[in-house]
Amino acid sequence: MPQDVSAAHAAVIRQAEWPLDKRHLNADAIWHITEGRGVTVAVIDSGVQADHPDLAGQVVPGAGFLGDSHDRGQADVSGDSHGTAIAGIIAGTGAANGGSGMIGLAPKARILPVRVTVHATVEPTALAQGITYAADHHAQVINVSLGMPTPDPVLRRAIDYAIGKDAVIVASAGNNGRNGDPTLYPAAFPGVVDVTGINPAGRFWPVSESGPRTTLAAPATGIYSTNNRGQYVDAEGTSYAAAYVSAAAALVRSAAPHLTAGQTIRRLITTADPHGHRDDNGHDDQYGYGTLNALAALHSTAPPGSTANPLLSANPLGFHSSWHPAIFLAVTGGVLVAGAAAAVRLLRRRRTAPRIGNASTRTASKGDARAKRQGSKSQARKRPAKQKG
């Protein structure tokens, strides 16, 4: 059962949510426009603890694909609360302790929990089934903070199916960038919003896996969110960066429900803040088309353009070879493998927040020091050559 949190600790959590402050995503300005009402975001993960005080009422019945036909995904028994943390970043209400709890970027969005894993790995078939289920149950945004190093054909078919159902699919790139690993799948599939990480200074988080499929960069370090015991976690990883992008997609689809998934993605990438060394198509392998700027996406008055998903094109921004960064600025405004290559890994690095009443210290979870050196905690320990994010 969830445990009450002290008002003092809740205040620490709220203050620690740096991605929401005015210098970064500027959530207060966003919420004057929309809070994500009317949009359902599927969290394909370890389930979501629906009775967390900051998630109560936000988590609709979903499904599980681990052999229990009665599973609705509304609990999270994973060791690191991964699915619950993703859901909190997207749709936490901040309701705990009289309204001083943890709040997500799209606090009025609904979460559709789809359990495909409990521990560190998930089979591609279960992941594909979860994505298909989300698409069939009208999720406008599908968050997949999981990945694998190979393009499994069953997973690819599920991704294509969900794209055909007009879903925005957001996936984390992976956390083994220091070893030179490329982006994982499904993030690397065409049409998927592939998300890497940045730190509070807006710089690329070098642990992120990245490459030619990178779409956007978003906050990935020092992230506080909900856990499955009614408390909070302190985490880092591209898993959480993907959650911020999923929330931003929900905000756009709430404010502009006439937009297709493809037009929603186009708005997010054309209004991103440009960074890095862009090629002639306006792309950088680390930052993609830029860092997430949800407020600019909501303020955009650009024509919606083609209804098609721009990430299915070789040149999503439509620039010509004469493109130059100054022009871009003017236009935009600103698995774990344990003997089987098919296993999918969870894309996170996690530090567990302290028990309530000890807000001044943070206790690193088992294996975290090694994860800091080598990438994703679970990947670093079980995957000898590749890491994921």
Side-chain angles (χ1 to χ4, degrees):
M1 295 293 293
Q3 300 178 21
D4 290 337
V5 297
S6 70
H9 190 70
V12 170
I13 295 297
R14 181 67 62 84
Q15 293 167 9
E17 289 188 81
W18 67 266
L20 303 184
D21 69 25
K22 189 172 183 179
R23 295 172 300 164
H24 297 97
L25 294 174
N26 197 356
D28 285 337
I30 285 171
W31 296 332
H32 284 296
I33 302 170
T34 178
E35 294 178 308
R37 188 184 300 276
V39 176
T40 299
V41 182
V43 174
I44 315 296
D45 215 289
S46 59
V48 174
Q49 199 67 35
D51 57 1
H52 189 289
D54 292 326
L55 288 170
Q58 300 301 103
V59 185
V60 303
F65 293 91
L66 299 178
D68 180 358
S69 62
H70 300 292
D71 187 1
R72 295 295 176 262
Q74 292 178 301
D76 183 356
V77 297
S78 65
D80 57 4
S81 308
H82 195 254
T84 303
I86 298 301
I89 290 168
I90 296 168
T93 64
N97 296 288
S100 60
M102 182 266 167
I103 193 165
L105 182 60
K108 294 294 177 63
R110 297 294 187 187
I111 298 295
L112 177 69
V114 183
R115 191 196 318 277
V116 297
T117 182
V118 173
H119 303 297
T121 63
V122 58
E123 291 302 317
T125 299
L127 181 54
Q129 290 172 334
I131 292 169
T132 300
Y133 173 89
D136 283 341
H137 286 77
H138 313 295
Q140 295 102 314
V141 182
I142 300 175
N143 187 94
V144 188
S145 289
L146 309 166
M148 60 189 308
T150 56
D152 184 270
V154 173
L155 182 56
R156 173 64 184 271
R157 286 193 293 271
I159 291 294
D160 291 344
Y161 179 79
I163 291 172
K165 287 282 190 175
D166 198 42
V168 176
I169 307 172
V170 181
S172 44
N175 298 332
N176 201 21
R178 291 194 187 279
N179 287 348
D181 285 13
T183 297
L184 297 167
Y185 296 91
F189 283 132
V192 177
V193 181
D194 169 12
V195 185
T196 61
I198 58 170
N199 63 23
R203 298 189 182 92
F204 178 73
W205 188 49
V207 176
S208 300
E209 295 171 41
S210 60
R213 290 288 180 186
T214 299
T215 307
L216 291 168
T221 67
I223 306 300
Y224 274 92
S225 191
T226 45
N227 75 2
N228 59 10
R229 298 180 303 282
Q231 300 173 22
Y232 303 94
V233 292
D234 172 15
E236 58 184 2
T238 58
S239 285
Y240 313 107
Y244 281 109
V245 174
S246 289
L251 293 168
V252 173
R253 300 208 82 171
S254 174
H258 61 284
L259 296 181
T260 66
Q263 290 168 332
T264 300
I265 293 169
R266 180 173 290 106
R267 185 161 292 189
L268 290 172
I269 64 177
T270 57
T271 58
D273 293 328
H275 283 281
H277 303 285
R278 287 161 204 75
D279 60 21
D280 288 344
N281 293 327
H283 183 269
D284 176 80
D285 282 357
Q286 294 183 336
Y287 296 93
Y289 298 98
T291 58
L292 177 66
N293 189 333
L295 184 60
L298 291 168
H299 280 310
S300 175
T301 58
S306 168
T307 60
N309 186 324
L311 302 178
L312 296 174
S313 166
N315 185 2
L317 294 181
F319 288 133
H320 300 295
S321 59
S322 60
W323 174 86
H324 186 272
I327 299 175
F328 181 77
L329 283 165
V331 172
T332 65
V335 195
L336 270 163
V337 177
V344 183
R345 295 163 303 150
L346 297 181
L347 304 185
R348 78 275 204 173
R349 290 157 50 91
R350 170 71 51 85
R351 293 188 300 273
T352 303
R355 289 283 178 179
I356 305 311
N358 186 22
S360 63
T361 63
R362 298 179 184 176
T363 303
S365 61
K366 184 179 180 181
D368 184 57
R370 185 174 180 180
K372 289 179 181 178
R373 293 193 301 270
Q374 300 182 22
S376 166
K377 176 176 68 177
S378 53
Q379 295 163 2
R381 299 167 76 181
K382 295 186 179 180
R383 188 176 176 191
K386 289 183 176 287
Q387 242 177 328
K388 78 171 210 169

